[in-house]
Amino acid sequence: MAESLYDLTRDELADLLEGEPRYRVDQVWEGLYGHLREPADITNIPKSLRRAVSDLLPPALTDVRQSVSDDGGTVKFLWSVAGGDMIETVLMHYEKRTTVCVSSQAGCAMGCGFCATGQRGFSRHLSRGEIVEQVIRAGRRAAPRRIDNVVFMGMGEPMANFDATWDAVHTLHDDMGIGARHITISTVGVVPGIDRLGRADLPVNLAISLHAANDRKRDRLVPLNRTYPLSRLAEACRRYRTHRNRRISFEWALIEGVNDTPTDAEELAAFALPLAAHVNLIPLNPTPGWPTRGSSPDVVEAFALDLRRRGVNTTVRHNRGTEIDAACGQLAARHHTIGRRRESP
Ligand code: SAH
Ligand code: SF4
């Protein structure tokens, strides 16, 4: 894969711009990461240097389409990357904050049947630059608002692409000023990845996609559970908590008649309470390849109440951008279906 604009370290950039004084390299760096400028718009460096950076380091993401939700609060970006794969990024404006949801892989190999990305299968890992560029391009779109939070909840399993994910986290933190506590990595339960995250040098948030708290059910919903069953996942969570005094979140997509009964709430509470974990509930978003629906709002509320009564810290997450297929688990870059939506250039 050719190196793109955001793939180089500062030293590698200095090597590439051989002969330029260090302060010039720093200006380029600050322009790219601090001010989210395109090389041609870094106006405090000579034009020849702007051109050199543009020529040597092309962007990794090619704009295919942007879809905007009816209320304007959610923007979905569809990009093509080297090799021709499509990936997606979602920008979400809330009243007081702005969040970007990034993809870490083109597709995903984990095969969760309810997830559009899982249904599509795996193409390849994304590089650090391809991950970072998603935040930068969304950040330009968000201006004058700044990006407050980055969540690795787009396409792909970040822990299966740990090195590039972690390099990207460092760039977001070190060069773009996004605090570690404003960065969340979501995993389906890759135990070695959870262990690495526990020992890593930045205290980012960990979210684990649980969806079922007994192995029989979780084996069906999340095939990786056959490799890392709940007992091993719980041990990894305990180890994580001894390294980091941070609250873990469990994501639970409520699926009608599948994992939304009082027994499910009881099992979830029994799993979450000893780990002092927070639970995020979200009704399953519809995807083309999965017949079961999300739980109704009444059932979601009853499930949340049940968990709270049992002492579990619980939040209900509301779907964002479902009408533009921009909600959790809906990202699969089905290019042809996006054309029906309201678009912006
Ligand atoms: N691979 C990682 C991160 C990307 S998925 C993971 O699985 O955690 C981001 C979140 O969306 C996960 O919690 C995932 O379980 C959830 N998700 C997937 N498909 C969904 C759907 N159809 N409806 C609601 N949430 C879904
Ligand atoms: Fe991959 Fe996460 Fe989707 Fe499972 S839910 S297939 S791990 S992206």
Side-chain angles (χ1 to χ4, degrees), residues 32-204:
L32 291 177
Y33 295 98
H35 303 293
L36 313 186
R37 296 264 167 81
E38 311 233 24
D41 298 331
I42 306 176
T43 46
N44 57 341
I45 59 171
K47 270 203 174 124
S48 55
L49 182 55
R50 289 180 228 168
R51 205 167 313 117
V53 176
S54 304
D55 291 348
L56 291 167
L57 294 171
L61 308 180
T62 304
D63 241 312
V64 175
R65 199 165 300 253
Q66 289 181 22
S67 320
V68 184
S69 64
D70 296 336
D71 65 2
T74 304
V75 183
K76 181 171 76 166
F77 304 83
L78 175 65
W79 322 102
S80 71
V81 293
D85 284 300
M86 303 277 186
I87 63 157
E88 288 171 321
T89 306
V90 184
L91 170 67
M92 289 164 285
H93 292 302
Y94 299 89
E95 201 184 324
K96 294 211 173 86
R97 65 204 155 87
T98 296
T99 297
V100 181
C101 175
V102 295
S103 296
S104 55
Q105 300 177 314
C108 183
M110 298 296 164
C112 309
F114 54 85
C115 168
T117 310
Q119 290 158 16
R120 186 196 119 160
F122 177 72
S123 289
R124 71 165 171 85
H125 295 308
L126 298 184
S127 70
R128 183 236 331 246
E130 288 169 329
I131 297 171
V132 168
E133 191 171 329
Q134 296 174 60
V135 182
I136 289 182
R137 306 264 296 251
R140 276 185 211 140
R141 179 70 164 72
R145 293 176 69 146
R146 287 182 59 88
I147 303 300
D148 302 295
N149 300 302
V150 176
V151 297
F152 285 75
M153 292 188 180
M155 298 169 77
E157 168 50 49
M159 299 273 191
N161 184 19
F162 196 100
D163 290 341
T165 295
W166 199 248
D167 286 348
V169 163
H170 261 287
T171 304
L172 302 179
H173 175 272
D174 303 349
D175 301 310
M176 295 172 66
I178 299 174
R181 280 149 205 259
H182 295 268
I183 300 172
T184 299
I185 295 185
S186 178
T187 177
V188 71
V190 178
V191 163
I194 296 170
D195 284 334
R196 273 184 81 178
L197 198 66
R199 292 188 304 265
D201 55 359
L202 289 174
V204 301

Side-chain angles (χ1 to χ4, degrees), residues 194-217:
I194 296 170
D195 284 334
R196 273 184 81 178
L197 198 66
R199 292 188 304 265
D201 55 359
L202 289 174
V204 301
N205 303 308
L206 169 63
I208 296 175
S209 302
L210 200 61
H211 309 312
N214 79 60
D215 281 318
R216 206 173 18 85
K217 198 173 281 187

Side-chain angles (χ1 to χ4, degrees), residues 180-291:
R181 280 149 205 259
H182 295 268
I183 300 172
T184 299
I185 295 185
S186 178
T187 177
V188 71
V190 178
V191 163
I194 296 170
D195 284 334
R196 273 184 81 178
L197 198 66
R199 292 188 304 265
D201 55 359
L202 289 174
V204 301
N205 303 308
L206 169 63
I208 296 175
S209 302
L210 200 61
H211 309 312
N214 79 60
D215 281 318
R216 206 173 18 85
K217 198 173 281 187
R218 197 163 189 269
D219 280 351
R220 274 195 288 122
L221 289 174
V222 174
L224 190 74
N225 195 65
R226 296 171 206 154
T227 309
Y228 302 114
L230 288 162
S231 56
R232 291 195 59 192
L233 190 57
E235 282 163 21
C237 291
R238 273 193 289 276
R239 283 193 296 274
Y240 179 89
R241 293 203 18 99
T242 58
H243 286 288
R244 284 223 194 297
N245 193 20
R246 301 297 308 280
R247 196 190 277 279
I248 296 172
S249 300
F250 290 134
E251 307 290 310
W252 190 282
L254 281 161
I255 311 172
E256 192 173 70
V258 172
N259 63 356
D260 63 356
T261 67
T263 309
D264 294 297
E266 191 183 339
E267 289 170 352
L268 169 53
F271 192 81
L273 277 173
L275 299 167
H278 185 101
V279 170
N280 284 317
L281 301 175
I282 183 166
L284 185 83
N285 290 306
T287 59
W290 184 257

